[in-house]
Amino acid sequence: MRSCVASFRLAWVISCFAFAGLPALAASAPQSVTSNQMLRGHFSQERQMTGFAKPLKSEGSFALLPGRGLIWRNEKPFVNTTVISSGGIVQLAGTQETMRLNATRVPGLAQLYLVLSAALSGETAPLKKSFAVERNESPSGWEVSLKPLNPALQAQIKMLVLKGDRYVESVEIDRASGDSDHITFSAHSVTKPELTAEESAVLAAAAK
Amino acid sequence: MRWRHFAAVLWIGALLSALALLGLRLASGVTLESNILALLPRQERDPTVQHASDQLAAGMSRQFAILVQTGSQERTITIAKQLSAALLRAGVVAHIDSSVDPDAQRRIGAALFPHRAGLLSEADRNALLSGDGESLKSRALGMMFGLGGFGDPKLLARDPFFLLPNYLLALPSGQSRLSVEDGVLIGHNAGKTFSLISGTLNGPPYALDFQKRFNQSYGVIVAQLKQQVPDLTLLRSGAIFYAHDAAQEALNETSIIGAVSLLGTLALIFTVFGGLRPIILDSFAVGAGIGCAFLGTLLIFGQVHVLALLFGVSLIGISVDYSLQYFCEYFDSEAPDSVARLRRVLPGLAIGLTTTLIGYCTLLLAPFPGLRQVATFSLIGLTVSCLTVIICYPLFDRNVGPRSRSFFVRLADVHWRFWESKVLLPLRVLLIVSLCGVALWGSTKLTTDDDVHHFQTMSAELRNEEAALLRLTGSSAAMQFVLVHAPSENLVLEAEEHLSSPLAALKKSGAIDDYVALSQFVPSPARQKQNRALNEERLVKPYLAGYLEEIGYTGAIEYPQNDNIMHVSDLPKTGPYALVRLLNIPAGLEAMNIIQLRGVNDAGAVRAAVADVPGLRFISLADDWTALFAKYRIYALSLLALSVALMYPLLAWRYGFVRALRVLAPSLLAVLLTPMITAALAVPFTFFNAMALVLVLSVGVDYSVFCAETIGNRKPVTALGIMLAAAGTLMAFGMLALSQVFAVHAFGMTMLVGILIAYLFAPLAGHAAARKVMS
């Protein structure tokens, strides 16, 4: 149970950094997303865990609407959707809810969503509260490593490494248990907030 | 004469040993019960309900809640943590239940973990029942593959489909408006952040010494915190705060009333009789009475309720009646010495005491523990006082010879002449007519009020704090529940499970906001077994292998094989779910649970829903008490009739059938007119008014009896006696009318008006014994 909690927090941290512009950190001009825009792209995730014959691979697309939430749409190996917002995390199969985690019930979710908003507006101060931040810059882009300060989180995660240029391109999570997760992002595009019918339905279902 | 000395020595010896015993008892600590609700009658017709209410009240009374509020979230969280730690350090709090630290969560998970095979959330269970194991598998896959990976491989080995985390997430939570931040429950309101700290006390909230310790520690801690954060505000809720408040109030009033009564009476005696000896003798009689009364009540009941103390102190006003009758004989020209004086007043004293005792004895019949204490206190006190007068006064009173008629005697005589003089007849008629007029007008305004909330001495300040606290946290003060009764723990959980669909329907229709039942946390053993079978048949067998292959897991799965049934005792004793254990009422060999209802908007619908099911009862404590008070208000009036019926034979024996009625007339008049006159003064008629009328009757009869026993020259003397007696009684009980406690105030007002009327009309009885002269 406790590991689930930490994992949820982790999900937040990742999304926060995946889409944070971090303008203050990068030499190249990173893109930040404002509230009347949305960010779309593809992701590919690999989870490496002990006891498993091969890493768990999943692929899909995401859509970020600042202030409303993040829609994470898994396409391979099966289809399901996760919506993360200030209310919490909701997993859906189609529009049928399969799991709901309220921010009020799970400690840390609400706070991390605030960190996400702060990062989007370019403020790194909230991040420094929870992590020890180390950054390296190079002509090809930037690399940021984060080590958690909170002992509860430390017990789950050793380090987070983010790499990117205009946008965050990869996130690597090293867990205390020796497992690791590797997510790569591609095909970023910033557009006007136009949602497909499915996406609107899913956001509406999550908001309930 | 020797036997008189002997009796006196014996009596004083008895009093001294009583005093020593009292001293010993006080030294070993006295519990002053200040819970007004402890006065409430036992529900003899339904001991199960009474037991459940008692247990729930006892459990809940140890809970407390404090809401801290500052302008910033950080400060609020810091203050909340400091306050919790400080309370624990001071040793007044056993544990804090509102902290949601990782430890608390781990404890719950650990407590339930061995039993996980039998635990399924409602939604999961329904999915499996309808044959939809696929959705649970998809969900588990989603957790393993999802963003960042929710599924933990270590958990996978022990709970491949993550059923336990889902079970825990689906459990009902206490506060709907609060969220958890840094291990602390917080909420936001109007730009400020507040945090709720709730916990269990480390001592009985109604014991005075613990109350003092708690409030002292609390005061010191809060002062320190306020220095740190000046904009800190606190809201309090919990029996410990009310109890302290109520006890403080009652004790303050007791001391004030006691002091004023005593000083007033002594001043009266000094003014009228002069000299120190009457004062000493009176103090002796009254003091002996109260001391023995306190000791007797303590020995019989084990503790003294502050209300008994309050009423007991007003005994000072009544027990002085006997002394006064005796002292008035100073002015009697035919009583040359103390023995003669006593002989003249003895019949009056004896009959007066007996009628008063009859009145208090009927109070003993009322099934209210608090009133029984008051009655016992008064019975012992009055008897001892009177006996002290009878046994000791003749020996210690060295006052020889009658005194000249003082101013006071002449003043008192006016009262008697008022009734005897033919000239003043129009005035008498005017008095009666105006009284009846006021009564008639008042009878149109007569209302009854049985709302139990009036009888809880909660200061307005505390009441507002509690209301604000409940509003901000979204919780409700739980006073309504469904009692579930069954022969064993297993069966009672099953009974609750059968209720889940009617309760869900009630929730949907808005009849109730929500409910909390033990079976939501601990399914019945039958259900746990069924869950296990469902898991095995509809989830594990069809899907496990495929699922593990899809995720590529090659390790072993450790799922509990044997039946490890979870019981209520497996729930953790501290932390957020500690209060759930309160729902189980220890009931000997049988099992009793309470389903707590939140926000009952339609009590009728709930009653109907549980009506036909055996073993279920809908309890609404506040409504039940109100109905009870109404019933006993009427019952008290029959006690009144009983008092009259018991007094009449005694009076008839002494005065003859017809004249006995004349003796009773003033008191009966008082009893009839008082409710209407008090109604004119905007005092509603309650059960306590009715009880006061019983006392009005018995004390009022005293005055009539004294008047009936007197003759000729002694009339003015007796008139002085009853004037002083009435003054003392009015002073004592009249002060009760100033009390903040609604029940005491109503009682005091009734006594005030009733005694006044009984006193005014007392000389009417004087004609009764005119021809039946004492031998």
Side-chain angles (χ1 to χ4, degrees), chain B residues 435-449 670-686 689-690 693 742 745-746 748-754 757:
Chain B
L435 266 181
C436 289
V438 173
L440 271 171
W441 177 56
S443 63
T444 59
K445 294 174 80 185
L446 192 62
T447 55
T448 60
D449 188 346
V671 163
L672 279 171
L673 291 179
T674 303
M676 297 188 262
I677 296 179
T678 49
L681 295 169
V683 175
F685 193 71
T686 69
N689 298 57
L693 286 180
F742 181 81
H745 164 77
M749 281 299 289
T750 308
M751 288 296 281
L752 203 58
V753 174
I757 297 177

Side-chain angles (χ1 to χ4, degrees), chain B residues 319-334:
Chain B
S319 54
V320 80
D321 289 5
Y322 309 120
S323 309
L324 285 173
Q325 279 294 305
Y326 177 85
F327 290 135
C328 284
E329 288 298 314
Y330 283 170
F331 302 113
D332 188 351
S333 48
E334 289 160 38

Side-chain angles (χ1 to χ4, degrees), chain A residues 113-130:
Chain A
Y113 186 77
L114 289 174
V115 172
L116 169 66
S117 330
L120 281 172
S121 57
E123 276 169 62
T124 55
L127 310 171
K128 290 204 181 105
K129 257 197 294 191
S130 317

Side-chain angles (χ1 to χ4, degrees), chain B residues 44-198:
Chain B
E44 285 121 335
R45 276 191 310 147
D46 211 331
T48 50
V49 175
Q50 185 60 56
H51 181 64
S53 312
D54 285 349
Q55 291 288 328
L56 192 67
M60 303 243 70
S61 71
R62 286 212 173 201
Q63 305 303 312
F64 71 93
I66 305 170
L67 200 90
V68 297
Q69 192 165 300
T70 71
S72 94
Q73 177 160 314
E74 267 175 49
R75 278 206 298 271
T76 303
I77 294 179
T78 317
I79 293 285
K81 289 190 178 172
Q82 283 180 337
L83 181 59
S84 309
L87 284 171
L88 282 166
R89 256 200 318 267
V92 291
V93 163
H95 44 85
I96 301 278
D97 300 320
S98 56
S99 55
V100 189
D101 51 80
D103 261 350
Q105 291 187 316
R106 202 185 324 127
R107 266 201 301 272
I108 297 167
L112 269 52
F113 196 73
H115 315 281
R116 62 194 182 283
L119 300 176
L120 281 177
S121 74
E122 187 83 21
D124 290 355
R125 193 183 134 81
N126 289 336
L128 287 181
L129 280 172
S130 54
D132 186 16
E134 177 91 46
S135 61
L136 295 190
K137 175 193 149 199
S138 308
R139 180 182 66 196
L141 277 176
M143 287 173 82
M144 285 306 296
F145 280 97
L147 166 59
F150 302 159
D152 181 80
K154 280 204 275 302
L155 189 59
L156 179 75
R158 328 279 268 299
D159 187 5
F161 293 102
F162 306 113
L163 297 170
L164 184 60
N166 278 292
Y167 177 79
L168 290 169
L169 283 172
L171 289 177
S173 67
Q175 279 80 22
S176 50
R177 303 233 183 101
L178 303 179
S179 55
V180 180
E181 210 55 56
D182 204 0
V184 155
L185 286 171
I186 62 164
H188 300 274
N189 177 48
K192 290 189 156 198
T193 311
F194 60 85
S195 173
L196 179 72
I197 300 161
S198 63

Side-chain angles (χ1 to χ4, degrees), chain B residues 2-15 284 391-393 395-396:
Chain B
R2 290 223 47 198
W3 67 265
R4 206 180 281 279
H5 282 97
F6 184 66
V9 166
L10 215 62
W11 183 248
I12 293 177
L15 288 177
F284 176 46
I391 296 175
C392 298
Y393 276 21
L395 289 173
F396 292 115

Side-chain angles (χ1 to χ4, degrees), chain B residues 27 34 66 124-125 145 224 303-304 311 335 354 384 407 410 577 710:
Chain B
S34 63
I66 305 170
D124 290 355
R125 193 183 134 81
F145 280 97
Q224 274 173 354
Q303 35 96 315
V304 178
F311 283 111
T354 314
V384 169
F407 156 76
R410 284 197 294 274
Y577 295 121
T710 194

Side-chain angles (χ1 to χ4, degrees), chain B residues 557-574:
Chain B
I557 297 282
E558 295 162 39
Y559 213 57
Q561 290 307 309
N562 48 342
D563 265 354
N564 195 347
I565 301 286
M566 176 169 153
H567 298 285
V568 173
S569 48
D570 294 321
L571 283 175
K573 289 186 183 59
T574 60

